[in-house]
Amino acid sequence: MTFNPPVLDFRSDTVTRPDDTMRAAMATAEVGDNVLERDPTVAALEERAAHVLGMPAALWVPSGTMANLIALSLHLQRGDRFLATRGAHVLVNELGSAAWLAGGMPDILEHDGGPGRPSPDALAAAIGQPGPYFTLRTSLLCLENTHNAAGGAVTPPDEHAQLLSVAKEAGLTVHLDGARLWQAAVALEVPPAALTVGVDTVSACFSKGLGAPVGSVVAGSTAFVERARRMRQMLGGGVRQGGVLAAACLIALDRIPELAESHENAQRLAEGLREHGWPANHPDTNIVLAEVPDIPTALAWLDSLGIRAVPMAGKVRFVTHRDLSAADVEEALRRIKTGA
């Protein structure tokens, strides 16, 4: 009789499933048609999310990619140049929608200020000085906190403020991709709103580590959200009785402090990988990047052990989350050590 060990899924914190408490909230949610009128549960979520993020207003959308696309579409004019860090989600994980649909021309900022962020000097140099009418116009800076491809790296408030100062001095609009902003806030022990100071818009996700099955928000000024609501409809995001999904997101907001456990598990996983000869980062949050000689071979070997991971930035990425316990991390390390 063949024994198949349980699969340990480290591919992403998006694999989490709603638990019984969240499912009960979804089943009993008060709902309405969120296109013809505002669904009451969606409205409650948007109001609460705006407050948590320190923004005047927020809009629920089905995905983080849609949230970022809405922001970029409303901030950019066709042919505008925008700046984003190397490996940023808006550059490599959104299928070119920033250029194809939002009409922007991306340019890359290196991580010379630390993992996931440029230095203020490098940002100033990249922005440059306004030229004649026939030169590119740089109008937008996109930041990401935490930075996924940099191993869930956190940008602290003081460095965020320095980058915002440079961008605003040059007249740029700033959008913050905060898909995992909750993780950054927990790691830094600050409110999420402390990490959005000065930005024009911010996106944040409820399905990464918090257990909600679907949903993000994009937040900004009241005028921005009014325009964003129309843009969401254009993109097919006009979900009707969305309160069923928003109810899960409200529960997710209650669970932000619990993310600290996944950070502890990530630190233990990284430590154990290094002990077993896998060079790994020292994670700020819940993403571990491990260097291997051959990524496809490593992933296939891990899969044979019942450990699921993905490639990221030329390394193997492991993501800890609420559906993986400390015991699961130890079991993964045991399998890696013994090869069984």
Side-chain angles (χ1 to χ4, degrees):
M1 181 176 179
T2 302
F3 172 69
N4 293 317
V7 172
L8 303 174
D9 198 342
F10 290 90
R11 289 174 299 167
S12 178
D13 45 12
T14 60
V15 303
T16 56
R17 300 179 181 182
D19 61 11
D20 291 343
T21 300
M22 189 173 281
R23 289 174 186 267
M26 295 170 71
T28 58
E30 183 182 0
V31 299
D33 191 315
N34 200 47
V35 175
L36 298 179
E37 64 219 7
R38 294 188 70 189
D39 176 295
T41 307
V42 172
L45 171 65
E46 291 172 343
E47 182 177 349
R48 184 176 172 193
H51 175 73
V52 171
L53 292 168
M55 305 300 281
L59 180 74
W60 182 90
V61 295
S63 72
T65 294
M66 184 180 287
N68 288 336
L69 177 58
I70 287 172
L72 268 62
S73 295
L74 296 180
H75 292 324
L76 293 167
Q77 295 186 39
R78 287 200 172 276
D80 278 2
R81 174 177 178 256
F82 72 94
L83 302 172
T85 50
R86 181 171 295 281
H89 198 276
V90 296
L91 297 181
V92 300
N93 297 110
E94 298 183 5
L95 302 182
S97 59
W100 182 35
L101 298 175
M105 180 175 176
D107 210 348
I108 293 172
L109 296 167
E110 300 297 343
H111 300 187
D112 71 314
R117 55 194 182 274
S119 66
D121 288 345
L123 174 59
I127 295 170
Q129 298 296 322
Y133 80 93
F134 51 80
T135 57
L136 280 173
R137 183 179 72 165
T138 303
S139 63
L140 176 67
L141 170 64
C142 290
L143 299 174
E144 187 174 327
N145 198 11
T146 68
H147 196 289
N148 181 10
V154 168
T155 300
D158 59 332
E159 296 186 35
H160 169 88
Q162 293 172 31
L163 295 172
L164 262 290
S165 176
V166 171
K168 292 300 180 178
E169 179 68 24
L172 271 61
T173 301
V174 180
H175 173 66
L176 173 61
D177 179 356
R180 292 183 174 87
L181 190 73
W182 323 120
Q183 301 276 5
V186 169
L188 293 168
E189 299 183 337
V190 299
L195 303 177
T196 68
V197 176
V199 304
D200 296 280
T201 52
V202 57
S203 63
C205 186
F206 302 108
S207 65
K208 292 182 171 67
L210 296 175
V214 176
S216 289
V217 288
V218 59
S221 68
T222 301
F224 167 83
V225 168
E226 288 177 357
R227 296 175 64 208
R229 195 177 305 277
R230 290 180 57 84
M231 189 73 200
R232 181 185 67 182
Q233 192 72 10
M234 296 166 90
L235 296 173
V239 175
R240 298 292 179 171
Q241 284 71 35
V244 174
L245 300 172
C249 298
L250 283 166
I251 297 293
L253 280 175
D254 293 334
R255 294 177 170 174
I256 291 174
E258 298 174 15
L259 294 172
E261 183 177 348
S262 69
H263 297 178
E264 294 173 3
N265 288 339
Q267 290 166 11
R268 172 58 190 137
L269 177 62
E271 175 187 345
L273 288 171
R274 290 192 295 270
E275 290 172 356
H276 300 328
W278 293 52
N281 66 325
H282 294 265
D284 289 341
T285 53
N286 67 320
I287 298 177
V288 177
L289 296 180
E291 297 181 25
V292 296
D294 183 275
I295 292 175
T297 299
L299 291 174
W301 183 72
L302 289 169
D303 192 61
S304 73
L305 300 177
I307 300 171
R308 305 189 74 180
V310 296
M312 170 67 74
K315 300 176 183 179
V316 173
R317 187 185 80 162
F318 301 83
V319 185
T320 55
H321 50 77
R322 65 180 291 111
D323 289 359
L324 287 171
S325 66
D328 291 328
V329 169
E330 294 300 333
E331 171 62 14
L333 291 171
R334 184 198 67 79
R335 294 181 194 178
I336 290 170
K337 180 180 180 179
T338 64

